Amino acid sequence: MAERTSSAATSRETRAATARQSRATRPEQVVVAEPPPEPDYPRYRVEPGTGVRLAGVDPDESEHFGRKKDVAPELARHRDRIADLQARLYAENRRSLLLVLQAMDTGGKDGTIKHVFRGVNPQGCQVSSFKAPSVEESAHDFLWRYHQRVPSRGMIGIFNRSHYEDVLVVRVKGLVPEEVWRPRYAVINQFEQALSLSGVTVLKFYLHISRDEQKRRLESRLADPDKRWKFSANDLRERRYWDDYMAAFEEAIGSTSTDVAPWYVVPANNKWYRNLVIARTIADTLEAMDPRYPAPEEGLDQLRVED
Ligand code: AMP
Ligand code: MG
């Protein structure tokens, strides 16, 4: 009997937690009293069914924010919020957050992870970087390797590249025919919907840099001995397909920005503005999820730790 009561309580709590989680993909409606928040991240969310024109998003945008130094305290504040909320998410141990990062080469995926997640407890966070699939991975359905890395309850998972490569590089380089990659948009939407139903909040960021900015970043990788390890001659080959990649990103983002797993197109020529937008979006999303420390065992007030 006692066991049945507690399992009923558990499913009630799980339902409440899932309801909080389903509001999390429009966090400004939950946590911001007077929209728009600063930075104005909701404007970068691609509303479901609207499509996106990347040429219409200015990669140099930084609103009224002037320079890195000016946003440092604000960025630090959002990092602290993320660290505190992550501790709660971990303790609550019911839901998880999956962040997808996609960009052109040099777009800033690694830098975002380094700067936004500084201070987060590594025990509650898992970064997965996806390269060209191994022989074993290629022998499975395309989602197989990604599904295994979806964060378990309590965890934040970061995908540095993701299942979206299978409708991006795969399409642009003609690795499979269109009748194979095109149906994947629907498969991806179903996958993300299924994750959401089991308590995973999914947020996707496209870091939007310009072609000129990529040139500058590649040149600096070539010139700086400490950055050369990051340079790959393949980046120069991929760069030639810039327009094809833009078309592939536009269609992928437009076809898969949903209520349960929205895309944000983040201006990313200014690294500090990119970090600020992403940190705020993540902090507000976690706050809207409202993770809670579990209730302590009963009767703790009476307990004394013996000498
Ligand atoms: P990097 O992120 O710079 O280490 O590069 C990883 C490389 O792996 C990129 O060139 C990606 O395009 C490639 N890659 C990632 N996922 C896939 C995939 N599913 N199929 C083919 N290439 C991929
Ligand atoms: Mg690279």
Side-chain angles (χ1 to χ4, degrees):
M1 187 62 202
E3 207 177 291
R4 275 176 53 198
T5 313
S6 90
S7 91
T10 304
S11 76
R12 201 163 47 240
E13 282 169 36
T14 301
R15 272 200 306 278
T18 308
R20 288 196 291 277
Q21 176 243 342
S22 72
R23 292 192 298 268
T25 51
R26 287 166 189 277
E28 74 282 1
Q29 295 179 357
V30 184
V31 300
V32 181
E34 284 280 313
E38 294 189 356
D40 185 4
Y41 66 82
R43 71 193 271 211
Y44 300 130
R45 189 167 52 230
V46 176
E47 295 305 329
T50 61
V52 63
R53 214 174 55 82
L54 292 175
V57 182
D58 179 7
D60 281 315
E61 171 73 67
S62 66
E63 300 181 73
H64 63 279
F65 299 98
R67 53 193 177 139
K68 182 174 175 180
K69 229 173 88 206
D70 302 333
V71 305
E74 199 55 10
L75 178 60
R77 189 171 74 80
H78 294 309
R79 275 201 211 110
D80 289 346
R81 294 175 66 211
I82 293 171
D84 173 62
L85 288 157
Q86 185 231 10
R88 292 166 189 271
L89 187 76
Y90 186 81
E92 183 192 74
N93 196 28
R94 288 184 193 283
R95 295 165 296 159
S96 60
L97 177 64
L98 172 60
L99 306 169
V100 168
L101 299 178
Q102 286 287 164
M104 294 296 284
D105 290 316
T106 76
K109 302 183 298 297
D110 298 324
T112 300
I113 294 168
K114 178 171 161 184
H115 293 290
V116 172
F117 287 89
R118 186 182 302 162
V120 163
N121 184 349
Q123 186 155 252
C125 195
Q126 185 187 38
V127 182
S128 305
S129 299
F130 296 99
K131 315 280 179 191
S134 68
V135 173
E136 190 190 15
E137 288 168 342
S138 305
H140 289 268
D141 68 278
F142 84 100
L143 286 176
W144 183 74
R145 65 173 181 159
Y146 307 103
H147 204 162
Q148 293 179 69
R149 308 291 292 182
V150 169
S152 55
R153 293 178 200 283
M155 299 288 289
I156 295 180
I158 303 168
F159 279 8
N160 183 348
R161 300 187 191 268
S162 67
H163 43 301
Y164 285 94
E165 291 294 334
D166 295 79
V167 290
L168 293 166
V169 64
V170 161
R171 164 184 175 164
V172 171
K173 307 311 284 294
L175 302 181
V176 300
E178 180 165 355
E179 58 273 26
V180 173
W181 61 257
R182 184 162 291 284
R184 288 180 176 172
Y185 298 136
V187 175
I188 287 172
N189 285 337
Q190 285 163 8
F191 172 57
E192 293 174 355
Q193 169 88 33
L195 295 183
S196 168
L197 286 171
S198 49
V200 185
T201 295
V202 184
L203 287 190
K204 303 176 292 200
F205 296 99
Y206 169 65
L207 315 181
H208 183 45
I209 59 165
S210 63
R211 199 160 191 263
D212 289 348
E213 179 64 18
Q214 189 193 54
K215 181 163 194 275
R216 282 190 287 278
R217 293 186 186 185
L218 287 171
E219 284 169 347
S220 104
R221 281 186 187 179
L222 275 174
D224 181 344
D226 288 348
K227 288 187 185 169
R228 280 195 177 168
W229 68 274
K230 268 199 151 185
F231 185 86
S232 152
N234 189 50
D235 294 348
L236 298 183
R237 283 191 289 276
E238 294 296 315
R239 180 173 162 76
R240 294 188 197 128
Y241 295 89
W242 185 275
D243 293 341
D244 295 336
Y245 270 108
M246 290 303 113
F249 269 113
E250 278 185 355
E251 196 173 3
I253 292 169
S255 308
T256 61
S257 201
T258 60
D259 280 327
V260 295
W263 273 104
Y264 290 81
V265 174
V266 181
N269 277 5
N270 294 302
K271 296 173 182 173
W272 49 267
Y273 182 70
R274 168 202 81 200
N275 291 341
L276 185 69
V277 170
I278 294 178
R280 169 100 207 230
T281 310
I282 293 170
D284 280 11
T285 298
L286 281 165
E287 194 175 320
M289 288 170 75
D290 192 17
R292 304 196 180 173
Y293 288 117
E297 285 177 37
E298 277 172 34
L300 292 189
D301 291 344
Q302 276 77 53
L303 293 184
R304 292 287 166 270
V305 179
E306 289 173 16
D307 292 334

